[in-house]
Amino acid sequence: MADVVNATRMELTRLKNQLATTRRGHHLLKDKQDEMMRQFLLQIESYKALRKNVDQAWLQALDTFSYAKSFHFEEELKEKFLVPASSVKLEFGKQSVMSVDVPKVKILETFEPKVTYSFHGTHPALDTVVAKLGKLLPDLIQMAVEDKKNRILIKEIEKTKRRVNAIEHIIIPEIVDDIKVVRMKISDAERSNTVRIMKSKDLIIKKNLQNK
């Protein structure tokens, strides 16, 4: 509880106004937290669906690649894949989710995957791997964007939650306690003043009686 310097009615009014403002701020911040959680849950659902599709396609490509590896030496495979077989043209930006900036990536153009190695001495299964991974590239990019967005939202939700809890469990109770202290001190001062007035009145009455 903060030390109350001025136990006056003006101070009491100030604390009441501060309490009302803090409670409004807490309500707005709690609404923001709830909406961010709602947006995050929707984001997670779309991310899970995308991740499931990517995982399936990725595992299929890995199975095909594992099969193709049995026909080549490891160094030979590294040499064949030195030159990228697929590429995309991207536009980077930001979008706001509940006043939180998250990344936004737009795929402007995709290029068909091309075989950049010699067909001579190469198993056809490698061509299938190149085609599958080339088609998967846009989804991999989108998944990376969604993953980064999730991490940012989680961090912001946690930060907002800490602020909501601090206001609810620390700041508001401190203001309430300060109001109680000021009220108690004002009541004590009023009682003391009433006693002084009553004593003064008694003295005046006694003095008047003695002068008669």
Side-chain angles (χ1 to χ4, degrees):
M1 181 182 67
D3 293 333
V4 180
V5 178
N6 298 317
T8 62
R9 293 199 173 277
M10 184 178 294
E11 177 66 9
L12 181 61
T13 300
R14 186 191 71 79
L15 287 171
K16 286 181 177 180
N17 291 337
Q18 183 182 358
L19 179 61
T21 301
T22 304
R23 280 175 170 164
R24 283 196 299 270
H26 174 265
H27 181 71
L28 292 173
L29 204 58
K30 187 68 168 60
D31 286 347
K32 178 183 178 180
Q33 178 188 337
D34 293 342
E35 179 60 20
M36 286 178 66
M37 273 302 302
R38 189 186 71 82
Q39 296 271 1
F40 176 70
L41 292 176
L42 292 174
Q43 169 74 15
I44 284 294
E45 287 302 314
S46 64
Y47 174 78
K48 285 167 61 177
L50 177 63
R51 181 63 183 261
K52 182 179 179 180
N53 293 334
V54 168
D55 285 348
Q56 289 177 348
W58 182 262
L59 290 174
Q60 289 174 2
L62 284 181
D63 287 341
T64 306
F65 182 68
S66 296
Y67 171 72
K69 281 174 65 176
S70 61
F71 297 94
H72 300 84
F73 294 108
E74 185 175 347
E75 291 301 322
E76 184 184 1
L77 287 174
K78 288 181 180 179
E79 184 179 345
K80 290 181 181 296
F81 289 110
L82 282 176
V83 180
S86 184
S87 61
V88 293
K89 188 176 181 181
L90 305 175
E91 180 181 83
F92 297 90
K94 293 181 180 180
Q95 66 183 57
S96 179
V97 178
M98 295 299 295
S99 302
V100 180
D101 287 337
V102 295
K104 181 180 180 182
V105 177
K106 184 178 180 181
I107 299 177
L108 300 177
E109 190 176 0
T110 58
F111 302 92
E112 287 295 324
K114 297 179 180 179
V115 175
T116 57
Y117 49 79
S118 172
F119 289 105
H120 179 69
T122 302
H123 196 277
L126 284 181
D127 302 346
T128 304
V129 174
V130 170
K132 286 183 176 180
L133 293 181
K135 291 180 180 179
L136 191 59
L137 184 57
D139 284 343
L140 285 171
I141 294 171
Q142 186 60 34
M143 194 174 75
V145 174
E146 298 297 314
D147 182 72
K148 181 64 175 178
K149 188 185 299 184
N150 289 339
R151 293 176 186 273
I152 292 174
L153 287 176
I154 289 173
K155 187 176 180 180
E156 190 65 26
I157 289 170
E158 289 177 347
K159 185 170 72 174
T160 304
K161 184 179 179 180
R162 287 196 296 270
R163 291 174 63 191
V164 168
N165 288 338
I167 293 173
E168 181 177 350
H169 300 294
I170 299 175
I171 298 176
I172 289 179
E174 283 185 351
I175 298 174
V176 171
D177 286 344
D178 286 346
I179 290 174
K180 289 178 180 178
V181 170
V182 171
R183 280 176 172 166
M184 182 180 65
K185 290 187 176 182
I186 290 175
S187 295
D188 289 345
E190 288 179 345
R191 279 195 297 270
S192 297
N193 191 46
T194 301
V195 170
R196 284 196 298 272
I197 291 173
M198 291 178 66
K199 285 183 177 179
S200 298
K201 185 177 180 181
D202 288 343
L203 289 173
I204 292 172
I205 292 174
K206 287 180 180 179
K207 187 175 181 181
N208 289 336
L209 290 175
Q210 290 174 355
N211 292 334
K212 286 185 178 180

